[in-house]
Amino acid sequence: MDTSGSESTLRVALQNVGCKLNAYEVEAMTHGLDSRGYQIVPFGTEADIYVVNTCTVTGSGDADSRKAVRKARRQNPEATVVATGCYAQRRPNDLDAAGADLVIANDHKAQLINALEAHIGGTSAPAFEPTTRPRTEQFLTINGAVTSGRTRGMLQIQDGCDEHCTYCIIPSVRGQSSSRRADEIIAQAHEMVAAGYRELALTGVHTGSYGYDLDDQQALVTLLASLEAIEGLDRIRLNSIEPGYLSDELIDFAAASSTLCRHFHVPLQSGDDHILRRMGRRYNRAHYAERIERIASQIPNCAIGADVMVGFPGETDDHFEQTRTLLSDLPMTYLHVFSFSSRNDTPAERLDSHLDKAVKKERAQQLIALGQEKRLEFHRHFVGSAIQVLAEGRRDTTTGLHIGLSDNYIKTLFAGEYQANELVEVKVEQAREDLVFGSQL
């Protein structure tokens, strides 16, 4: 398709459904479309092309994905609607029925723009049918800044997962674990820093396994050292690291680094060994506790978060209490709590002793309250102290105060004068569970 002249003004609206990796992919597709001359517009407005990056982690992800496709079709019945992502990998016919003109499987996302242009141009687009065992060979790239800004950006280093937890559909839709070439990652990081980004968050489905498919279990630490050497890159943030991949070498590197953010997100799911085995998780309660304690002892004031699942089939009151007690005793900063939701085509669906919704809700509320207590305690620790935040160049709509984020994951509202994308020293004056207030020093 020739996008010169009048066609260069084609309007494209993109919508992300799901995880941070999906959000990165939407940013990458946005960057690619923008660089080819398309006009990027909000998803809720009329566009000539709509792209929906779908999710299938839960039934609500499926529903939200179909809803987004139907919304695009209603917004402009004459538009070209493209669906990609995990739901497109798993149930492409559902998205056809919802109104998608073009459905592109996960492992062909890097060819999405070419396929779109072939479709619009009336030529035969390559067939991008889902494969039974997908594997990402070509990663989406951002070689500059995206329309959302230049402060904090995401950078994909890995895709896929080989863990096969009994409740999870992701290995079948994201495929085998695949590590991106280090030279590609470093090159993209240089481009993003040159475009103005000061913080990069490394993302993936199973980030901690980076390099394991290449028989290099220290590849992540090596990569971090290379990224740390990039002039102008002030912060590197990791997304979640599974407990079994949280090595001594990684913790030691983080403790010595002035660039890697003091922020670890370590999924727990359950604090009971019996339930962990039923989940297919490859660690136990004692190993998890030891890793968290080591992080806290070596990296003072480190934010430590966890994903926790309640109501897994067979979870008794005693099993739940094991989880609650473990999280209460550990130096956690925040919790992401969710209830087990049965997923078609997973082993957990076939387990016995599924729990009532009311039981799951009550247990979730207990852990949510615990997480709120933990986060408030962490935030209160900094009252009267100075923290460094990266100013996002926007203001809180309620207070009018500037918004920033510390390296240890504290959202900060502050008064003062600064340049957008500046690292600002802020004295913390008041703490809430969700954020702190302060003034620029």
Side-chain angles (χ1 to χ4, degrees):
M1 175 183 175
D2 180 7
T3 58
S4 61
S6 62
E7 286 188 318
S8 65
T9 60
L10 283 174
R11 299 160 299 173
V12 184
L14 299 96
Q15 176 75 5
N16 172 55
V17 182
C19 65
K20 290 182 179 180
L21 180 54
N22 269 18
Y24 166 83
E25 291 170 340
V26 167
E27 285 197 354
M29 288 184 276
T30 300
H31 175 76
L33 289 160
D34 181 63
S35 67
R36 293 208 194 186
Y38 294 90
Q39 179 187 355
I40 308 301
V41 298
F43 192 78
T45 61
E46 186 173 331
D48 304 295
I49 301 164
Y50 293 90
V51 179
V52 180
N53 199 16
T54 64
C55 173
T56 193
V57 170
T58 64
S60 61
D62 291 350
D64 289 345
S65 299
R66 294 191 301 270
K67 182 179 177 181
V69 170
R70 289 194 296 266
K71 179 179 179 179
R73 178 56 64 212
R74 288 195 306 271
Q75 197 78 37
N76 182 3
E78 303 303 317
T80 298
V81 180
V82 184
T84 187
C86 292
Y87 192 35
Q89 180 79 35
R90 181 166 169 259
R91 296 284 175 83
N93 292 339
D94 291 1
L95 295 166
D96 280 334
D101 299 295
L102 192 61
V103 180
I104 297 178
N106 254 338
D107 48 350
H108 299 302
K109 272 180 182 162
Q111 290 82 44
L112 184 144
I113 297 176
N114 289 338
L116 168 65
E117 293 184 342
H119 177 85
I120 293 174
T123 60
S124 298
F128 289 139
E129 295 297 322
T131 56
T132 55
R133 286 185 58 80
R135 189 174 193 274
T136 298
E137 301 291 348
Q138 184 178 352
F139 288 79
L140 288 163
T141 296
I142 302 173
N143 290 324
V146 296
T147 54
S148 60
R150 300 168 182 263
T151 299
R152 295 167 24 233
M154 292 182 286
L155 200 170
Q156 184 182 7
I157 68 169
Q158 184 273 344
D159 204 349
C161 182
D162 298 329
E163 294 298 293
H164 298 285
C165 298
T166 59
Y167 53 81
C168 187
I169 198 74
I170 293 302
S172 66
V173 293
R174 280 282 180 178
Q176 304 169 63
S177 182
S178 177
S179 299
R180 190 176 182 185
R181 285 175 44 178
D183 59 340
E184 290 183 8
I185 297 168
I186 300 300
Q188 179 175 335
H190 274 287
E191 292 280 354
M192 295 182 77
V193 171
Y197 290 100
R198 301 189 71 170
E199 176 181 318
L200 294 179
L202 308 187
T203 67
V205 172
H206 193 333
T207 309
S209 68
Y210 179 79
Y212 276 66
D213 56 316
L214 306 175
D215 295 324
D216 183 359
Q217 297 186 7
Q218 298 307 315
L220 181 57
V221 173
T222 303
L223 176 65
L224 290 170
S226 298
L227 290 169
E228 193 173 47
I230 297 176
E231 185 175 354
L233 180 54
D234 296 294
R235 291 182 181 175
I236 305 166
R237 194 178 298 274
L238 290 171
N239 75 345
S240 62
I241 304 292
E242 291 289 334
Y245 296 79
L246 193 56
S247 66
D248 289 349
E249 291 80 6
L250 179 57
I251 298 172
D252 292 345
F253 179 90
S257 175
S258 60
T259 304
L260 188 63
C261 291
R262 295 170 298 168
H263 177 201
F264 279 90
H265 188 89
V266 190
L268 171 64
Q269 309 307 4
S270 174
D272 180 85
D273 288 345
H274 172 71
I275 297 299
L276 286 171
R277 288 192 295 271
R278 281 172 71 89
M279 289 178 167
R281 305 287 286 174
R282 301 182 185 181
Y283 55 88
N284 58 26
R285 171 192 176 94
H287 176 80
Y288 186 91
E290 189 275 331
R291 293 289 85 185
I292 298 302
E293 294 284 7
R294 178 161 181 156
I295 292 171
S297 65
Q298 288 193 226
I299 310 172
N301 297 325
C302 184
I304 308 174
D307 295 325
V308 194
M309 181 189 297
V310 299
F312 191 78
E315 182 188 73
T316 64
D317 288 342
D318 289 342
H319 295 145
F320 171 72
E321 183 60 21
Q322 285 280 89
T323 298
R324 193 200 64 77
T325 302
L326 178 65
L327 290 170
S328 180
D329 292 343
L330 287 175
M332 312 303 299
T333 304
Y334 65 91
L335 304 175
H336 289 169
V337 181
F338 54 100
S339 298
F340 169 77
S341 175
S342 184
R343 208 73 194 95
N344 293 339
D345 306 321
T346 61
E349 180 190 28
R350 300 186 292 273
L351 291 175
D352 57 9
S353 304
H354 283 246
L355 277 68
D356 291 338
K357 184 177 181 179
V359 173
K360 292 188 284 188
K361 181 178 180 180
E362 192 276 332
R363 290 177 183 175
Q365 288 173 338
Q366 286 192 49
L367 293 188
I368 289 170
L370 175 61
Q372 290 171 339
E373 292 172 9
K374 291 275 190 178
R375 193 191 292 259
L376 179 59
E377 179 184 7
F378 185 66
H379 287 173
R380 282 177 172 167
H381 173 73
F382 294 93
V383 173
S385 303
I387 61 174
Q388 187 182 70
V389 303
L390 183 57
E392 297 182 0
R394 59 191 182 96
R395 292 177 182 266
D396 176 61
T397 55
T398 301
T399 65
L401 294 170
H402 305 299
I403 300 175
L405 186 71
S406 70
D407 78 296
N408 55 348
Y409 207 49
I410 301 174
K411 181 180 179 180
T412 306
L413 303 185
F414 65 98
E417 298 298 326
Y418 71 97
Q419 299 294 320
N421 206 21
E422 181 181 344
L423 288 167
V424 182
E425 294 291 328
V426 174
K427 182 178 180 180
V428 178
E429 297 165 345
Q430 183 183 349
R432 276 189 351 203
E433 180 271 324
D434 55 336
L435 51 82
V436 301
F437 295 91
S439 299
Q440 182 179 0
L441 290 173

